[in-house]
């Protein structure tokens, strides 16, 4: 799901309090308005697009791999550059970088809306991800730089509350647009929001910098992006080209070499974007492994679920979007309560029980047979998944910030957020391989990969192909469930027993 990430609160708390006179109440209100509107671009766009993907594939063509890259291209640039984006704001001006991010995201949205084919859309989505990598940490930093420490908790709560609201609106909007208009309107909607945000930020948001900001780790960012891109491409293309293809083997080797180079660069950089010393803390390493597994499960399930709901269960895109409502509603309404429970009983209980409950919810999503309705279909699974995620996400911030020194909380929170985004990227690629393998084993067709593309695009298919896809979807969802349960086990072994929240 696209929305606030696990350690967003930690990134706000880590911003140095301004040394000059505090901002006026009016300025603080306008900063909050600008950051909410700017963040809504990524929240609405990402959540709306997921439900519209089957329609996009049907319209633009392209096989399963190309459809995966519509999401992966965005996650790739966002995940690789988000840490650099935050550092750039500290050094060159948070408002400036935030505005540049808004502009880049808006231009990317225009390119998406005008894309003549699936490959152009993929390229435009990668450009959008660059904009998101600048505006997302920029919004959090602006809140931290404008609000004094004792007011940041309420400001973050307002920002996150609107994020949950946009998380509810996005899937419904995407489904309705896909059913009644043209999926391209999902991207055109971004333009008036971007223009309004730009005007408000220019007129009302003060500029701020961190006088102690350090250099930008461009070598690390580029190596991470190159390595992830090569590995992800190999995983998504392997079902079509074969695992023994020289292109696949070369891409895997090049990607692994680039990622190894990234680790070497981070060890040698004076100001690395991901200080490896942070991982000397068993708690920090454990929490990030938990985050990787939990958001792998969530990202994979939310990508493939709309295809099953629309192609197998017979949902309209609008109804498929409505299936996401329990998730956003429960997380938005009960995140505060989950945080108070973690304060009282300790983070370890929440970080072990929450992911296990989320795993049960994911397993319930695999239960309904083809043709199930809303109530006997996704409702129970999405509700239980939301309860588990709500329990788990709140304590993550406290656990991450408590695992490192006071001067490292900002970068530690940023690393955890980047891990959550990269987890979604890896999930779509790896689970796509599993989906294809199970479908090919179950389908009776001379060209199984082409048939899989037809199922995902909504062609007229027989019951054998539909049942094969549903079996493949079940394998994917049960794998996601197992990853969530494993995340809970890791939380029980590594999470602190009792932590105080960084934000009050």
């Amino acid at each position: 799901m696209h929305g606030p990430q696990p350690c967003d609160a930690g990134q706000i708390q880590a911003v140095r309090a301004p040394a000059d006179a505090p901002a006026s109440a009016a300025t603080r209100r306008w900063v909050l308005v600008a950051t909410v509107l700017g963040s809504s671009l990524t929240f609405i766009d990402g959540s709306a697009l997921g439900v519209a993907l089957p329609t996009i594939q049907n319209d633009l063509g392209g096989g399963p791999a190309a459809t995966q890259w519509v999401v992966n291209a965005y996650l790739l640039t966002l995940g690789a550059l988000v840490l650099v984006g935050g550092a750039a704001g500290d050094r060159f001006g948070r408002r400036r970088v935030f505005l540049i991010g808004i502009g880049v995201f808006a231009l990317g949205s225009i390119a998406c809306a005008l894309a003549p084919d699936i490959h152009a859309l993929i390229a435009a989505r990668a450009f959008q991800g660059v904009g998101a990598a600048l505006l997302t940490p920029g919004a959090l930093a602006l809140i931290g730089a404008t609000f004094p420490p004792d007011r940041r908790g309420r400001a973050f709560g307002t920002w996150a509350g609107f994020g949950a609201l946009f998380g509810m609106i996005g899937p419904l909007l995407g489904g309705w647009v896909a059913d009644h208009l043209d999926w391209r309107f999902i991207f055109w909607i971004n333009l008036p929001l971007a223009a309004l945000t730009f005007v408000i930020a220019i007129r009302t948001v003060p500029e701020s910098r961190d006088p102690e900001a350090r250099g930008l780790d461009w070598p690390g960012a580029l190596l991470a992006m190159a390595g992830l891109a090569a590995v992800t491409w190999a995983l998504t293309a392997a079902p079509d080209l074969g695992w023994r293809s020289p292109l696949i083997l070369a891409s895997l080797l090049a990607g692994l070499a680039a990622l190894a180079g990234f680790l070497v660069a981070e060890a040698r950089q004076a100001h690395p974007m991901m200080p490896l010393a942070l991982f000397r803390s068993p708690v920090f390493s454990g929490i990030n492994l938990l985050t990787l597994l939990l958001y792998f499960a969530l990202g994979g399930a939310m990508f493939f679920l709309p295809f099953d709901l629309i192609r197998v269960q017979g949902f309209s895109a609008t109804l498929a979007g409505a299936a996401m409502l329990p998730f956003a509603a429960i997380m938005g309404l009960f995140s505060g309560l989950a945080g108070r429970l973690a304060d009282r009983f300790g983070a370890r209980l929440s970080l072990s029980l929450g992911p296990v409950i989320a795993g049960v919810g994911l397993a319930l999503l695999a239960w309904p047979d083809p043709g199930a309705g809303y109530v006997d279909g996704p409702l129970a699974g999405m509700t239980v998944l939301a309860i588990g995620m709500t329990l788990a996400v709140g304590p993550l911030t406290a656990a991450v910030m408590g695992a490192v020194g006071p001067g490292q909380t900002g970068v530690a929170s940023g690393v955890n957020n980047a891990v959550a985004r990269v987890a979604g990227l890896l999930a779509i690629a790896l689970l796509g391989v599993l989906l294809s393998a199970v479908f090919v084993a179950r389908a009776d067709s001379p060209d199984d990969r082409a048939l899989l593309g037809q199922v995902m695009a909504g062609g007229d298919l027989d019951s054998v192909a539909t049942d094969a896809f549903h079996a493949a979807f079940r394998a994917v969802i049960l794998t996601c469930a197992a990853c969530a349960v494993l995340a809970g086990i890791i939380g029980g072994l590594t999470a602190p027993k009792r932590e105080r929240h960084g934000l009050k």
Side-chain angles (χ1 to χ4, degrees):
M1 299 293 287
H2 294 262
Q5 297 295 301
C7 274
D8 287 338
Q11 291 188 270
I12 292 176
Q13 185 70 6
V15 175
R16 296 175 185 273
D20 51 3
S24 66
T27 297
R28 293 197 299 267
R29 285 195 295 269
W30 281 115
V31 166
L32 197 54
V33 169
T35 54
V36 164
L37 286 174
S39 301
S40 73
L41 291 170
T42 60
F43 295 162
I44 295 176
D45 184 276
S47 57
L49 185 66
V51 181
L53 274 177
T55 303
I56 293 173
Q57 185 182 6
N58 186 41
D59 186 26
L60 296 184
T67 306
Q68 293 171 40
W69 270 104
V70 173
V71 176
N72 276 349
Y74 176 88
L75 292 176
L76 173 66
T77 52
L78 172 58
L81 300 178
V82 68
L83 293 174
V84 171
D90 290 339
R91 185 174 184 184
F92 300 114
R94 295 169 179 130
R95 185 185 72 163
R96 177 182 298 173
V97 171
F98 176 72
L99 289 172
I100 292 172
I102 295 291
V104 171
F105 196 90
L107 290 174
S109 298
I110 294 173
C112 288
L114 297 175
D117 56 46
I118 195 76
H119 302 293
L121 179 60
I122 291 170
R125 287 284 290 162
F127 193 67
Q128 268 193 320
V130 175
L134 299 175
L135 76 88
T136 301
L140 298 171
L142 284 173
I143 293 174
T146 307
F147 287 80
D150 62 337
R151 294 180 180 268
R152 290 175 180 175
R154 181 173 296 180
F156 172 76
T158 301
W159 179 85
F162 276 100
L165 176 63
F166 296 137
M168 288 190 288
I169 293 173
L172 284 175
L173 177 65
W176 187 86
V177 167
D179 281 337
H180 301 286
L181 297 174
D182 186 324
W183 59 265
R184 298 175 190 273
F185 278 96
I186 293 172
F187 299 106
W188 288 122
I189 291 168
N190 292 335
L191 300 187
L193 281 173
L196 180 60
T197 305
F198 204 92
V199 170
I200 292 174
I202 284 287
R203 292 185 175 182
T204 65
V205 175
E207 184 60 282
S208 65
R209 294 176 175 82
D210 183 350
E212 299 183 17
R214 301 172 296 181
L216 303 183
D217 183 12
W218 284 112
L222 294 176
L223 282 168
M225 187 163 57
L228 289 170
V231 171
T232 304
W233 181 85
L235 292 173
T236 53
D240 291 315
L241 301 180
W243 288 100
R244 296 183 180 180
S245 165
L247 280 175
I248 298 299
L249 295 176
S251 182
L252 281 173
L253 290 174
L256 293 175
L259 292 175
F262 167 73
L263 294 178
V264 172
E266 295 307 278
R268 295 180 177 178
Q269 277 279 342
H271 307 298
M273 69 179 195
M274 191 181 76
L276 299 183
L278 292 175
F279 292 92
R280 293 173 184 167
S281 164
V283 173
F284 184 78
S285 297
I287 294 302
N288 277 282
L289 181 56
L290 180 156
T291 301
L292 181 71
L293 289 167
L294 186 59
Y295 278 82
F296 179 99
L298 182 67
M302 293 303 102
F303 177 84
F304 291 104
L305 179 61
F307 288 97
D308 189 74
L309 292 178
I310 293 172
R311 303 308 182 210
V312 176
Q313 308 295 357
F315 283 31
S316 65
T318 305
L319 187 56
M324 312 296 175
L325 279 177
F327 187 94
I330 290 172
M331 288 204 70
L333 292 173
F334 298 105
S335 291
L337 175 60
R340 290 192 292 273
L341 288 174
D343 282 338
R344 181 172 181 180
F345 298 106
R348 179 173 294 182
L349 178 63
S350 296
L351 290 176
S352 56
L353 185 60
V356 171
I357 293 174
V360 173
L362 288 167
L364 289 174
L365 289 175
W367 186 266
D369 292 322
Y374 181 82
V375 174
D376 58 341
L379 179 60
M382 290 300 294
T383 301
V384 176
L385 171 62
I387 293 171
M389 289 298 299
T390 302
L391 285 173
V393 170
L396 272 175
T397 299
V400 168
M401 295 180 69
V404 299
Q408 298 175 310
T409 55
V411 67
S413 299
V415 168
N416 188 257
N417 275 355
V419 167
R421 292 181 168 99
V422 170
L425 171 73
L426 296 175
I428 295 170
L430 286 169
L431 294 173
V433 175
L434 175 62
L435 182 87
S436 177
V438 176
F439 180 86
V440 168
R442 296 289 297 267
D444 184 15
S445 169
D447 192 352
D448 296 319
R449 281 288 289 178
L451 182 61
L452 176 58
Q454 293 176 36
V455 173
M456 296 177 71
D460 294 330
L461 301 166
D462 58 28
S463 59
V464 174
T466 303
D467 290 343
F469 182 81
H470 190 56
F473 168 77
R474 279 178 162 168
V476 165
I477 292 297
L478 291 175
T479 301
C480 292
C483 288
V485 171
L486 181 57
I489 295 172
I490 292 171
L493 294 174
T494 63
K497 292 183 178 180
R498 189 176 296 276
E499 281 286 354
R500 297 176 59 194
H501 281 280
L503 287 180
K504 298 294 183 183

